[in-house]
Amino acid sequence: MSDLAVVILAAGQGKRMLSKLPKVLHRLCGRPMLDYVLDAAWSLNPGQVVGVVDFEGPVADSFRNRGARVAFQPVRRGTGDAARIGLSEVQGKPDRLLVLNGDVPLLRPGTLRKMLDLLEESADLVLLAAQVLNPHGYGRIFQRDGAVRIVEQVDATPEERRHCLINVGVYGGRASFFSDALPRLQSDNLQGEFYLTDLAPMAGPGRCRVVELQDVHEAAGVNNRAQLAQVEALLRQRKNREIMLSGVTMRDPERTYLDWAVEVAPESLLYPNVILEGRTRIGAGCTIYPGVRIVDSQIGEDSVILDGTVVENSVVGPRSKVGPMAHLRPGTRLGARCKIGNFVETKAVTVGEGSKASHLSYLGDAVIGRDVNIGCGTITCNYDGVSKHVTIIEDGVFVGSDTQLVAPVTVGRGAIVASGSTITSDVPPEALVLTRAPTVVKEDYASRYWEGRQRRPSGDGATLEKRSSTSLVDTRDPEIG
Ligand code: UD1
Ligand code: CA
């Protein structure tokens, strides 16, 4: 077992968040804040990680799900008390202990390693510090003649508050130093809490070392939702930079929103206000236009997703085109070279290579073959009020516009469905099917109709209004009514 143990402090709701959700479970780029801290902790290959929580619940579960043990601090008595409780849960006798705050999520593993290296060189305690422009809310670190002390915001004098070297909230030390010093902390401060920061002056002379951050952004802590947004913006910068350096163009990286696990292959182009969530993967050479949101989906290479489209739990094959304003709901699987156009909604549907539904359709619970043309306004009527039924449209079928396919129904290979049809039974391959009322044409009927009503429509607003309030269907005329 490694001689290093890590304790992560995460008890309490985080009052300043004003939230039902515990602070450390608030999300940053689609993932709980705590997971970033756990990543940093495990990246050091410690023998164990212990999380301090206030009660059995979702935060405890999050720790256990990531292989950490859990210690309970039922009453908030300060970070010093929390660290002492965490240490009591540490198994065996590790040499070194690292204590992290659960609400400081941007720390890089390299930074933590540097601190631990310094610990090797004759120190009891190593603190992480950052020189910031706005230190408000943080503890301030003061160093004098080899002694270090930290003053919390609330306890600081106006002069101390002007000091800009802040305590990041990371503490590396000999485990023996912690177990000796933690029980000796006092709570004689304005908050009546046991401050972990009071360990600094308890180290031997010259034995508390301070490591200053190169990138002060790593210090950002989250106490309220404004800071949550700031930290997310920093994470987004990191993520977007990484993606751009891997060969992806973003027209405006500050307005491009990728969750932490999203992958985008090179030569793709992302327009502003694109939101890629969850485990989304975008293939090479794709273009994603503004206002598109893609959740847990895969887009094949060289595909184009046009403006305002939503894609959820779906797969889009290569060289396909989707949108604008399309909605691919869960379970949509498009093959290669498909086209799903304006205002088309799909759900639980498989679409074969080269098939198209270009305008205004609903395709749900359907299996659609290759090279099928779905005309404008086609609807798969999949729901009878109780159950969902499947529509099967085989290869090469041509479905004319304004067709309703009342499921369960199969349209055989190569068949043609004439526009305006309502299909209620299976159509054999290569057939033409149409269900239409015969067209009735009555020459000159319109003028006679208006004469009968003693009024013709005109550009005059009053007349038009009058007319629209009367039904065009003249129930006195048996031919029309
Ligand atoms: C703390 C530091 C401050 C530092 C800042 C960095 C102390 C006294 N102050 O202040 O010097 O600049 O972090 O972000 O340590 N927690 C518990 N139990 C408790 C109290 C807190 O587990 O009784 C946990 C919280 O869940 C949180 C972390 O400890 O994750 C820090 O607590 P918080 O109240 O946010 O401390 P800050 O005021 O930010
Ligand atoms: Ca904090």
Side-chain angles (χ1 to χ4, degrees):
M1 207 189 226
S2 151
D3 74 320
L4 173 69
V6 180
V7 169
I8 300 175
L9 309 183
Q13 195 70 10
K15 266 195 218 123
R16 291 164 278 186
M17 296 294 280
L18 302 175
S19 176
K20 290 194 202 85
L21 188 69
K23 172 165 71 177
V24 296
L25 298 185
H26 276 260
R27 286 174 180 265
L28 296 167
C29 295
R31 190 181 190 223
M33 187 188 316
L34 185 61
D35 276 335
Y36 294 94
V37 182
L38 278 158
D39 280 356
W42 283 120
S43 75
L44 304 169
N45 295 317
Q48 56 193 313
V49 174
V50 174
V52 181
V53 303
D54 43 351
F55 64 97
E56 192 60 79
V59 181
D61 292 343
S62 302
F63 275 116
R64 292 196 189 99
N65 290 341
R66 296 285 311 271
R69 305 174 64 80
V70 175
F72 293 94
Q73 184 202 27
V75 181
R76 183 189 166 99
R77 301 193 329 153
T79 47
D81 180 59
R84 185 186 56 75
I85 289 169
L87 183 60
S88 70
E89 189 60 36
V90 166
Q91 310 290 294
K93 291 236 168 297
D95 279 356
R96 298 172 303 160
L97 185 71
L98 182 69
V99 181
L100 302 174
N101 280 356
D103 62 354
V104 181
L106 297 182
L107 292 166
R108 289 195 170 90
T111 303
L112 300 178
R113 256 181 250 119
K114 205 163 127 191
M115 289 180 68
L116 293 174
D117 288 348
L118 204 61
L119 193 58
E120 303 296 320
E121 304 163 14
S122 69
D124 289 332
L125 184 66
V126 182
L127 302 175
L128 192 58
Q131 191 75 44
V132 296
L133 290 174
N134 177 13
H136 181 84
Y138 292 94
R140 316 294 206 280
I141 298 184
F142 296 90
Q143 292 168 276
R144 199 172 178 184
D145 306 328
V148 178
R149 70 190 174 95
I150 303 176
V151 182
E152 289 305 302
Q153 170 81 26
V154 287
D155 303 306
T157 62
E159 197 194 330
E160 284 171 329
R161 287 182 185 183
R162 281 196 290 276
H163 188 76
C164 289
L165 187 68
I166 62 149
N167 170 34
V168 175
V170 182
Y171 316 83
R174 305 256 141 244
S176 55
F177 169 72
F178 278 106
S179 49
D180 174 54
L182 284 173
R184 294 194 283 125
L185 287 174
Q186 303 291 317
S187 58
D188 51 354
N189 49 58
L190 281 179
Q191 300 189 91
E193 288 190 353
F194 296 94
Y195 289 165
L196 184 52
T197 47
D198 286 347
L199 286 189
M202 293 164 86
R207 293 184 65 86
C208 176
R209 311 280 289 269
V210 177
V211 175
E212 214 177 297
L213 270 177
Q214 304 291 310
D215 173 7
V216 296
H217 294 140
E218 286 183 56
V222 177
N223 292 328
N224 56 45
R225 295 190 200 226
Q227 288 172 329
L228 185 75
Q230 282 163 4
V231 167
E232 188 169 51
L234 290 167
L235 259 180
R236 183 156 57 239
Q237 262 171 32
R238 271 189 200 176
K239 173 77 184 178
N240 288 356
R241 186 179 154 77
E242 189 185 294
I243 295 277
M244 288 187 288
L245 294 183
S246 75
V248 172
T249 298
M250 289 184 183
R251 294 211 43 199
D252 185 354
E254 280 181 28
R255 282 164 200 79
T256 306
Y257 307 86
L258 275 55
D259 276 0
W260 71 284
V262 166
E263 294 171 27
V264 186
E267 301 283 15
S268 281
L269 166 61
L270 306 183
Y271 274 75
N273 294 326
V274 162
I275 303 178
L276 306 179
E277 295 183 344
R279 301 257 159 199
T280 292
R281 291 211 319 260
I282 309 289
C286 289
T287 302
I288 317 286
Y289 281 95
V292 170
R293 187 165 71 94
I294 304 179
V295 187
D296 289 319
S297 298
Q298 288 171 43
I299 311 294
E301 57 184 32
D302 298 318
S303 286
V304 176
I305 313 293
L306 290 154
D307 317 50
T309 294
V310 178
V311 180
E312 305 162 287
N313 291 86
S314 294
V315 177
V316 173
R319 296 179 299 291
S320 289
K321 199 168 179 182
V322 180
M325 312 288 175
H327 188 182
L328 307 192
R329 290 170 48 205
T332 298
R333 294 182 176 271
L334 307 183
R337 295 188 300 103
C338 284
K339 183 175 177 208
I340 298 291
N342 309 256
F343 304 104
V344 173
E345 175 179 344
T346 63
K347 186 216 73 175
V349 53
T350 305
V351 181
E353 182 167 353
S355 291
K356 296 184 171 72
S358 298
H359 337 264
L360 298 159
S361 288
Y362 172 64
L363 304 171
D365 299 304
V367 180
I368 298 173
R370 298 166 65 115
D371 298 314
V372 169
N373 184 82
I374 305 280
C376 174
T378 296
I379 299 168
T380 55
C381 310
N382 58 332
Y383 186 48
D384 59 13
V386 179
S387 324
K388 300 281 170 69
H389 302 281
V390 174
T391 300
I392 297 173
I393 304 173
E394 294 181 356
D395 295 349
V397 166
F398 182 93
V399 179
S401 300
D402 192 27
T403 293
Q404 296 92 58
L405 298 153
V406 183
V409 70
T410 297
V411 182
R413 192 186 174 89
I416 296 176
V417 180
S419 302
S421 298
T422 301
I423 307 301
T424 51
S425 57
D426 290 354
V427 178
E430 305 297 334
L432 165 72
V433 60
L434 74 168
T435 64
R436 276 185 195 161
T439 304
V440 177
V441 176
K442 297 186 178 187
E443 302 277 345
D444 295 327
Y445 188 89
S447 42
R448 277 189 281 126
Y449 172 79
W450 290 119
E451 272 159 28
R453 304 294 307 274
Q454 294 179 322
R455 193 186 297 276
R456 283 192 72 87
S458 76
D460 171 49
T463 323
L464 275 178
E465 206 175 300
K466 184 99 182 213
R467 200 191 130 207
S468 64
S469 68
T470 331
S471 170
L472 250 188
V473 178
D474 186 343
T475 46
R476 291 160 303 178
D477 183 333
E479 294 284 1
I480 292 182

